[in-house]
Amino acid sequence: MTTSIGFIFFIGAIGLGAIGIAGIVLANHLFRLVLALAIAEAGANLLLILAGYRWDAVAPIVSDPAVVQTMVDPVPQAMVLTAIVIGVGVQALALTLVIRIRQRYGTLDMQEARQRMQDDLDAAAGITPSRSRERPAGGRPLPAPAAAVEAGVQHD
Amino acid sequence: MTDVTLAIALPLLGAFLLPVTARRGLHWFGALLGPTVLALSALVLFGNASVYEAPYAIALGGFAPPLGISLYVDPLALLFALTVPLTTLLLWPGDDGDAGIRRQSLTLLLASALTGLALSGDLFNLYVFYELAAVASYGLAAGGGSSPGFVAAFRYLLISALGSVFGLMGIALIYFQTGTLNLAHLATLSEQLANPQGLAAFAMLVIGFGVKAELFPVNGWVPEVYGAASKRVAALLAGLASKLAVLAIVRILLLVFPHEEARQLLLVLGILGVITGELAAYQARDITRMLGWSSVGQLGVVFIAFSLPGKAGLIAGVTVAMHHLVVKSALFLLADRWGGAIARLKGAASSSRPGAAMFVLFSLSLLGLPPLPGFWSKFLVLGGLADAGSTLQLAAMAIILAGTVLEGAYLMRVITTLYKPVDAKAMPQRQHPGNLFASAMFAAVLLCSAVMVNPLWQGLNAMAESGVDTKGYIETVFDGKEIPR
Amino acid sequence: MNAFDLLMLVATAAIPMSALLAPIAFGRWLLVAAYAVELGLLFMLTPGDATRSAVAFQLLGNDVGWQLDALGWFFAVITVGAAGFSAAFAAGEWSAANGRQGLSLRWLYGGLQINVLAMLLLLSSADFISLFIGWELTSWSGLILMLLAGGQAIRAALRYIVYALAGGMAVFAGMLVTQAHVGSLQFAALSAAAPNLPNTALWSITLLFVLGFAVKMAILPFHLWQPPAYAYSPGPASAFLGSISARMGLFGIALVAIKLIGLGQLLTLSLWRDVVDLRDILLWVAALTAILPTYVAMRQNDARLLLSWHGVGQGGYMLLGLMIADSLGNAGGLLHVFNYASYQVILLLAVFAVIHRTGTADLNRLGGLVARMPLTFLAMLVGIIGLAGLPPMNGFVSKWMIYRSLVSEGMPLLFVATVISTLGTVLSVYKLLHNTFLGQLRLEHVEVKEAPWSMTIPMLLLCVVVFVTGVAPGLVLSHVASVQQAIGLEPVNYILGGIESPAGSLDMLWISGILFAGFGIGALLFYGFGGRSKRVHQLDNYAGGHFLTADVRYQYSDNFYAGLMHRIRPWYRNSFVWLESSLVSAVGAAGMLARGFFKQANPAQWALVGTTVVMTWMMWHALG
């Protein structure tokens, strides 16, 4: 990419990707996560389109030789269309899940949703959670009364 | 010979027909549609067995490579493609109302996408089929309707989508450098990709495809999704989908990036996967998450196996992967009624003797008791590591062996709990006969492969020969035409 | 179809037979007959030559076959014999009583036969794959027997299987490293290549195999699993496992370290500028194994645990003997395998006979049973004399040979170590005998009868075997000499009565003759010229003017050796238990750490970190 315009687009694509990835990693609100995902995917798609940009290409089939059309590589553009559609589908599914989580758990906070999920999974499995705010670690039960020693077994 | 595309198209068609027909009151048609479609795909794939002598490539739409999309059918692809309809048939979800129809439709979608993943010969095609499989699995993971299922599916979506972003960037990087995404064409240009940008692109692709393959570090979703989804879905994802994702990475590794750094990356990630998976499974207190972590560990072994160079690596990897497919799917099926805390399983053997016996059989195979096939898979992997002999590989060997001891500890803990005596009031649930039947089928496959070791060995050898034959791949795809640039 | 194939066929066919016939009394005697048939088939083989099995496979490009040579034959006879005697012990009333209490007889007899088959497969291996197959099958079939009793046996069995897997994986690693360096998995390939292997390769192969086999043999520090696991198995299983199962590790060491790699090669593996080599390390570890568990045995109050701890110690003796370069010493070690198996079976069967009649094995709650169970007492007495290593029983011969060669090889410190170990053995087996049979009979045991004939006859038969092989050890020494030849050591110079060597001979015929002559003279003197003895009831006694009654304890047997224990109590520091539990805790903590990795709030964090690290590493690698 020698010209400055291409450089700007390149920076833009990487920047969008970086913003999106940063958002996914740092955000705590479910909806913001979906938005960040959308931005990241936009950045990746832009990067792919840029891969197909040709500065001095000419259309292979020219009907009027006087008019010369500049041309870019169409293959990445086709790929990006596919990728955009995939992204749209995934984002739609993500939003559906966000709605459902809001309906079931009443929260859109990732930490809280994760904690509720763990608690539900543990409860369904029948495991007492190892640590929770409702049951702090203090006040351990007394040791069981010394049971009858089994035939004086000793180990070494 | 173009009928192999039917194996991709038929399940796709079935997936879209199913909700339509089922709602119109043609319940019997809907119930039969899925299994029929899968059986037909299996037959189509079986009919291609002649590929053992001569692999072939299909140019979809008649567009010649490298411009068009091509499918490549060789013994390796055929083996993995064949496991898809067969395993999906055995793990076919039940038919209970609307949710059941949705689940069946998504399963067919998953099957179609995975078959395409096995047969694809183009990098973007791999990406598209992978995303299709991912979307189907998001739906399956959330499909149980349970609240934790939605959260787990969302978190899975998050990691997977992030991985896909990286994967897409990696594809862009490759396109920047080479201008093509056809695997055969890239194979001719693989020396151009031995520079930092190329290998960074490989790393990104590995992260992208590695989410489904439960690769370290993108496997955080595993215990949550397997814990929240139904066990058949967990079996599909852990047993089947992960193997096909591994195949995608292996194809890219063998054809496009046959470099030492790429193999070392897989080796290191595999080692880390084994360590975290087995250690986490050791302290698990419920069966589903224990099996999920155990599958993370086993997939680490698969990656270590594929990181070995040459034919030895391919044979070892395929053996471990296939063995894990059979055993893990069956274990998840058995965990369907037995899901939950391990302590709750006390005395389960008295309520379901065949189930417990099969659990023991699968555990013993996982631990590598000869003459079960698990032993041979470990033998191949560890033998290859010992032969290769570098420090990291010997460390990998020690770690896999230590992981086996840990596996023994937690699996035997479960087995001894199963066989403890318990009074009639506290007995756990009986096994569902459908699950028992499917597990019995898996057990039959396991035992048959234990007996027929030699024919399988010869078949695997032939498959590996053609799998590592990159020149043959390029020639078959281009079919004598001029290779551009 | 030679006798060896027939033997394997019978052993295999006996498994479903056992599962079917075990609940029927007559069927159980048929199963004992099957063991007799197997033993007969073994004796039909000429132990000197190796008998190759007709069954051989080509698996994954490797030849897998089985052949029984003198080394395997020796261990096989002991295995089948121990199984046969244990099964005979249990075949009658024991099985009937325990079957009624809920023990699964099918699994017991079937498991016993599976164990025998697995050990035969192991002992007749001809290459590393068949060795590993036999090894893993032996480990897992032992688990079947250990799980049968339930309750506290299950914890012990879990501990066992983790240790056994660790050992098995070490053997697996050794096998694969051998394949990597030597190129083949056949035994002959390793023995041909061993002299030329580079030092690191030889170290790693030897260490992996020896460690793997040492875990099974319960050599220090891998010994903690064995006593509870063997003690809590049901009767015949405990006798069988205790006598021979751990010795499979010794077979492995004899096979790989001595036959294939060679004792001479072991001497070249040295640390610290040739000051100490691997053989010295093994000798000292074996000596420590002989000492420490024996003194732990002294503290046990459960008779089965006491004997199982002894089993660990005697295993140390065997390894010690085997590692001595002198032909007398390693013959002593190999002979000790047979001797120990014979009297361990007797002792454990006697203890189980006592349990059958009295319901307890607690040494603090027994006593005076000699009045009620004299035959069992006789069996235990013979076993104890053998275990302590006193003439005329066979234990004396093997111990004498080891002592002799330690002194003549110039290893006086090891000699002192073995003497200390024998002291501990003598003390603790006397405790066993005294607390069970001598002293005052308890009120609750007054009605106890002698053990039934089905139990006493096998014990007494074994006593005869112990006595005969003690008086004429040449019978067994001839086989030991062929074993020595088979593994490449110099065979010992034996005669019917013992050893004939220029450095010093042993003739048990003479010694026993003198001993019995002495007894005879003493008996003559006592009964003929003196001996005005009158038989008095035990309670016909007074203390402080009061009559004694049977419910009063006037002879105590608990806290035996109080004075000695008071002295050496501070030396029992439970160090190995601490080591094991800290290892387990460390693994548990690592597991929590690993789970923490999966528990992150935002799943994408690790993905990002990982991706960045991975990409940086790749790019750096590609540049460098």
Side-chain angles (χ1 to χ4, degrees), chain B residues 14-95:
Chain B
F16 288 108
L17 271 184
L18 195 55
V20 174
T21 57
R23 287 217 186 95
R24 290 291 159 99
L26 293 168
H27 286 294
W28 54 270
F29 184 70
L32 285 177
L33 182 62
T36 317
V37 151
L38 289 170
L40 283 174
S41 329
L43 280 171
V44 159
L45 289 167
F46 264 122
N48 275 283
S50 61
V51 87
Y52 262 87
E53 286 90 50
Y56 64 92
I58 303 173
L60 288 178
F63 292 105
L67 289 177
I69 306 272
S70 60
L71 295 181
Y72 186 74
V73 188
D74 70 340
L76 178 64
L78 195 67
L79 174 67
F80 275 85
L82 198 51
T83 59
V84 176
L86 293 175
T87 316
T88 317
L89 268 174
L90 277 176
L91 295 172
W92 188 243
D95 171 28

Side-chain angles (χ1 to χ4, degrees), chain A residues 57-108:
Chain A
V58 173
I61 303 173
V62 180
S63 54
D64 188 351
V67 181
V68 174
Q69 307 273 5
T70 51
M71 185 66 181
V72 297
D73 189 349
V75 174
Q77 305 216 337
M79 292 182 208
V80 165
L81 276 174
T82 319
I84 292 176
V85 169
I86 293 175
V88 167
V90 167
Q91 284 156 32
L93 184 57
L95 285 173
T96 320
L97 288 172
V98 169
I99 294 174
R100 283 274 178 256
I101 295 176
R102 176 76 163 93
Q103 283 175 349
R104 296 300 183 89
Y105 283 142
T107 176
L108 282 177

Side-chain angles (χ1 to χ4, degrees), chain B residues 115-162:
Chain B
T115 318
L117 203 58
L119 297 173
S120 174
D122 178 274
L123 196 53
F124 204 77
N125 208 10
L126 277 175
Y127 175 79
V128 169
F129 277 125
Y130 180 85
E131 288 300 309
L132 198 54
V135 169
S137 44
Y138 304 150
L140 283 172
S146 62
S147 320
F150 288 125
V151 181
F154 184 78
R155 288 165 64 87
Y156 177 28
L157 189 153
L158 215 56
I159 298 188
S160 190
L162 181 64

Side-chain angles (χ1 to χ4, degrees), chain C residues 24-34 87-93 453-454 458:
Chain C
I24 315 168
F26 181 65
R28 292 196 286 271
W29 289 109
L30 272 181
L31 296 172
V32 176
F89 173 86
E93 209 181 293
W453 286 113
S454 62

Side-chain angles (χ1 to χ4, degrees), chain A residues 30 37 41 45 48 51 73 76 79 82 86 93 97-98 100 104-105 110 114 117-118 121-122 124-125 127-128, chain B residues 124 128 131 138 145 147-148 150-152 154-155 161 165 168 172 175-176 181 224 227-228 285-286 289 340-341 344:
Chain A
L30 289 180
L37 183 62
E41 280 175 359
N45 290 329
L48 194 47
D73 189 349
M79 292 182 208
T82 319
I86 293 175
L93 184 57
L97 288 172
V98 169
R100 283 274 178 256
R104 296 300 183 89
Y105 283 142
M110 176 58 110
R114 189 195 77 82
M117 171 190 70
Q118 285 290 348
L121 284 178
D122 284 339
I127 302 176
T128 50
Chain B
F124 204 77
V128 169
E131 288 300 309
Y138 304 150
S147 320
F150 288 125
V151 181
F154 184 78
R155 288 165 64 87
V165 165
L168 206 52
Y175 199 82
F176 266 118
L181 289 179
E224 300 164 1
R285 283 180 296 160
D286 70 313
R289 274 181 276 190
R344 270 210 310 222

Side-chain angles (χ1 to χ4, degrees), chain C residues 179 272 280 321 402 453 579 605:
Chain C
Q179 186 186 38
W272 300 326
D280 291 326
I402 295 179
W453 286 113
L579 193 64
Q605 273 166 347

Side-chain angles (χ1 to χ4, degrees), chain C residues 53 186 245 335:
Chain C
S53 167
Q186 299 296 314
S245 180
L335 183 63

Side-chain angles (χ1 to χ4, degrees), chain C residues 164-385:
Chain C
L165 268 176
M169 290 300 119
V171 172
F172 199 16
M175 175 176 134
L176 292 169
V177 173
T178 311
Q179 186 186 38
H181 285 285
V182 171
S184 151
L185 284 171
Q186 299 296 314
F187 283 164
L190 178 57
S191 44
N196 308 323
L197 281 175
N199 212 24
T200 38
L202 197 59
W203 258 113
S204 48
I205 294 177
T206 316
L207 218 56
L208 283 169
F209 274 119
V210 165
L211 282 176
F213 293 132
V215 170
K216 179 84 176 171
M217 255 191 102
I219 299 293
L220 246 59
F222 309 119
H223 63 292
L224 288 169
W225 62 270
Q226 197 178 43
Y230 286 177
Y232 297 139
S233 324
S238 178
F240 172 74
L241 289 172
S243 62
I244 190 62
S245 180
R247 309 307 154 226
M248 292 299 132
L250 190 72
F251 164 78
I253 293 182
L255 178 65
V256 176
I258 297 189
K259 177 173 169 188
L260 295 181
I261 297 182
L263 207 52
Q265 289 292 311
L266 288 184
L267 294 171
T268 65
L269 293 172
S270 60
L271 300 167
W272 300 326
R273 303 165 194 272
D274 297 343
V275 167
V276 67
D277 57 57
L278 185 60
R279 195 190 66 121
D280 291 326
I281 298 177
L282 283 175
L283 279 171
W284 274 101
V285 170
L288 280 174
T289 314
I291 297 178
L292 297 175
T294 314
Y295 282 86
V296 174
M298 223 185 334
R299 289 183 64 196
Q300 300 304 316
N301 288 321
D302 183 331
R304 302 169 295 175
L305 274 177
L306 190 152
L307 286 171
S308 303
W309 275 103
H310 267 298
V312 178
Q314 299 299 305
Y317 249 107
M318 295 173 210
L319 184 60
L320 181 67
L322 194 63
M323 284 290 139
I324 304 175
D326 185 25
S327 73
L328 197 62
N330 41 46
L334 287 168
L335 183 63
H336 205 61
V337 180
F338 173 80
N339 293 346
Y340 169 75
S342 57
Y343 44 73
Q344 181 76 339
V345 175
I346 297 178
L347 286 170
L348 276 168
L349 291 185
V351 168
F352 281 105
V354 167
I355 297 179
H356 179 75
R357 283 304 190 207
T358 62
T360 177
D362 184 358
L363 290 173
N364 289 343
R365 297 212 199 106
L366 291 168
L369 286 172
V370 66
R372 297 286 179 265
M373 303 173 74
L375 290 174
T376 318
F377 167 73
L378 181 64
M380 189 178 266
L381 182 65
V382 170
I384 276 167
I385 298 178

